[in-house]
Amino acid sequence: MNSGKERMIGVGIVAVGLIILLGKLGTFSFLGRNFWPLLFLIPGIVLHAMYMKRKVSSFMLLPAGILSVYGLLFLLCNIWGWHLMAYLWPLLLLGVAIGLWQYAINDISLSRNVYTGGVILGLISVFLLVITLLRTGIIYVIAVLLIGAGTWLVLNNRGKRKR
């Protein structure tokens, strides 16, 4: 046998052995458990890049927007806990809205209704997100911000009088 072929076979055997060893040590389950949202995010980013390079039609922005938003949402929930989905579920609607909106603004041959539908769905999603977040402790943050803004307005105008 040729020594080049023997080396390639040896490298292949070592690679298979390392894969088996890392698999038994749990490396792949760790990667799969923690980075699976990238299976949504990366194709979304790739589709955006392919559109920017004019390799795909503007229709591909629809799944690109959806996959990107879902990938970010799932990554966020995977890192900080799936209990967040109880509050962030309106972002699922926002993903579809962003995909529709991107498609509509980049394809002038589409009906204006697609753009309008994307905007309306996005507004509904943001409205539902705000309502959902108001059920949590964010209402305290809003209250503190309002108090701070009011205090700033009162103190800022204290020394200024109308002439």
Side-chain angles (χ1 to χ4, degrees):
M1 209 186 269
N2 189 346
S3 67
K5 286 184 181 180
E6 288 176 0
R7 285 188 182 148
M8 291 302 292
I9 291 172
V11 168
I13 291 172
V14 169
V16 168
L18 282 172
I19 290 171
I20 291 171
L21 180 63
L22 290 173
K24 292 306 275 179
L25 293 174
T27 301
F28 297 122
S29 64
F30 169 78
L31 293 175
R33 187 173 52 251
N34 293 312
F35 295 112
W36 68 265
L38 296 178
L39 295 174
F40 289 87
L41 186 59
I42 291 172
I45 292 170
V46 167
L47 286 173
H48 277 107
M50 288 175 68
Y51 173 75
M52 294 299 171
K53 291 184 178 183
R54 303 286 181 213
K55 297 202 184 248
V56 295
S57 72
S58 60
F59 176 74
M60 295 310 288
L61 288 171
L62 180 61
I66 293 170
L67 289 172
S68 297
V69 172
Y70 286 11
L72 289 172
L73 174 63
F74 295 156
L75 192 62
L76 179 75
C77 288
N78 209 30
I79 291 172
W80 283 295
W82 285 94
H83 66 280
L84 291 176
M85 192 58 94
Y87 310 108
L88 300 179
W89 64 267
L91 294 179
L92 294 171
L93 294 174
L94 187 64
V96 176
I98 287 175
L100 278 173
W101 183 74
Q102 286 180 331
Y103 178 36
I105 65 170
N106 287 295
D107 191 345
I108 57 172
S109 68
L110 284 178
S111 166
R112 189 87 173 142
N113 294 338
V114 176
Y115 176 81
T116 305
V119 170
I120 289 171
L121 187 60
L123 291 173
I124 290 170
S125 171
V126 170
F127 176 72
L128 290 172
L129 182 64
V130 167
I131 288 175
T132 305
L133 290 177
L134 286 177
R135 289 183 33 217
T136 66
I138 198 147
I139 193 72
Y140 297 110
V141 173
I142 293 171
V144 169
L145 288 175
L146 289 173
I147 292 169
T151 305
W152 181 80
L153 286 172
V154 168
L155 295 177
N156 192 29
N157 289 330
R158 196 174 90 189
K160 299 177 184 175
R161 296 196 175 181
K162 286 188 174 182
R163 293 179 185 165

